[in-house]
Structure formats: structure tokens, C-alpha cells
């Protein structure tokens, strides 16, 4: 299953983001929240944003795959999600942020989420006739 591959890679990326945030917390001695530190705030938001978007996106992609959707579509959606999360994480992590990375990452993530949603709806509509 392709979704399992993307879920695994994204899980490893999530662990990386988690460890990066923990390491920063320890280094700055910030136990909870961002402590008014902009670098800490960025690390928290990158980690949280990932956790907010990836589960639903993966669930929708998995639902497509379980309905025997075209492997190329499943792979494309997984790739969009992975690329979107990577670009977003890079962009938001920069102290001097180039918003093109943040916006581009979110556009790729939204594209994966929206296309997976529409594809699932299409499968439902076409299958209910």
C-alpha cells in the first residue's frame, strides 16, 4: 500500500520535528509554551501545523486507496502532502521568513487535502448508481 509508505515517511518527519522542538525547549529552558521566544514559537507552530493537517490528509488518501483508486492518484496525493509539509516546515522555521515557502507549502497541502476529498466524493457518487 502506498499510503503506508507515505504515512511512514511522514511519521519519521513528525518525529524529527518533535525532537527538534524538544531540543530547542531544553536549550532555551522553556518548559511550556514559547516563553516569548520567536524561534521557539516557530518550532511549535511547525510541529503543530504538521499534526493538524497530516492525519486527515492521510486518512482521505487511505480511503481512496482502500477503494482501489488508481495508484498514480494515490502516489500523487501522497507526494503533494509530503512536499507541502516539507516546504511549509522549511519556510516557517526560518527566522527571516520567505513567505513563498509558507504559502507554497500550504497550497500543496490544501491541494492534496482538497483533491483527496473530491476524489472520495466522486468514488461515492459513481459507486452509488
Amino acid at each position: 500500500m502506498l499510503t503506508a509508505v507515505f504515512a511512514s515517511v511522514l511519521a519519521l518527519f513528525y518525529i524529527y520535528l518533535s525532537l527538534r522542538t524538544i531540543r530547542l525547549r531544553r536549550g532555551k529552558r522553556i518548559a511550556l509554551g514559547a516563553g516569548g521566544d520567536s524561534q521557539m514559537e516557530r518550532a511549535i507552530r511547525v510541529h503543530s501545523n504538521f499534526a493538524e493537517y497530516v492525519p486527515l490528509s492521510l486518512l482521505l488518501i487511505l480511503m481512496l486507496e482502500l477503494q482501489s483508486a488508481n495508484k498514480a492518484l494515490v502516489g500523487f496525493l501522497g507526494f503533494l502532502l509530503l512536499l507541502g509539509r516539507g516546504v511549509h516546515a522549511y519556510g516557517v522555521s526560518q527566522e527571516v521568513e520567505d513567505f513563498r515557502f509558507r504559502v507554497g507549502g500550504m497550497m500543496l497541502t490544501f491541494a492534496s487535502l482538497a483533491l483527496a476529498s473530491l476524489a472520495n466524493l466522486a468514488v461515492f457518487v459513481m459507486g452509488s448508481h
Side-chain angles (χ1 to χ4, degrees):
M1 289 188 78
L2 278 175
T3 305
V5 173
F6 285 107
S8 297
V9 172
L10 287 160
L12 293 171
F13 190 26
Y14 183 74
I15 291 168
Y16 164 75
L17 294 175
S18 299
L19 292 173
R20 187 178 75 161
T21 303
I22 291 166
R23 185 176 42 237
L24 194 57
R25 273 191 188 291
R26 285 185 178 163
K28 293 181 176 282
R29 298 178 188 251
I30 300 172
L32 189 62
D37 186 282
S38 66
Q39 186 182 18
M40 187 78 242
E41 182 67 34
R42 286 184 175 283
I44 291 168
R45 284 311 309 147
V46 167
H47 180 256
S48 298
N49 194 275
F50 187 99
E52 292 160 0
Y53 283 96
V54 169
L56 181 58
S57 300
L58 278 175
L59 181 62
L60 288 165
I61 294 168
L62 175 62
M63 288 178 184
L64 272 176
E65 189 166 22
L66 290 174
Q67 297 177 84
S68 301
N70 182 300
K71 292 273 188 206
L73 174 61
V74 171
F76 177 69
L77 294 172
F79 178 73
L80 277 181
L81 178 60
L82 181 60
L83 183 61
R85 295 294 73 209
V87 170
H88 180 269
Y90 172 78
V92 177
S93 295
Q94 305 306 304
E95 280 294 320
V96 179
E97 187 176 347
D98 181 341
F99 281 95
R100 293 178 295 181
F101 289 102
R102 175 185 252 178
V103 172
M106 286 310 302
M107 287 176 64
L108 291 167
T109 301
F110 285 151
S112 177
L113 191 58
L115 291 171
S117 298
L118 292 171
N120 273 293
L121 289 171
V123 167
F124 174 78
V125 169
M126 295 176 123
S128 63
H129 285 115

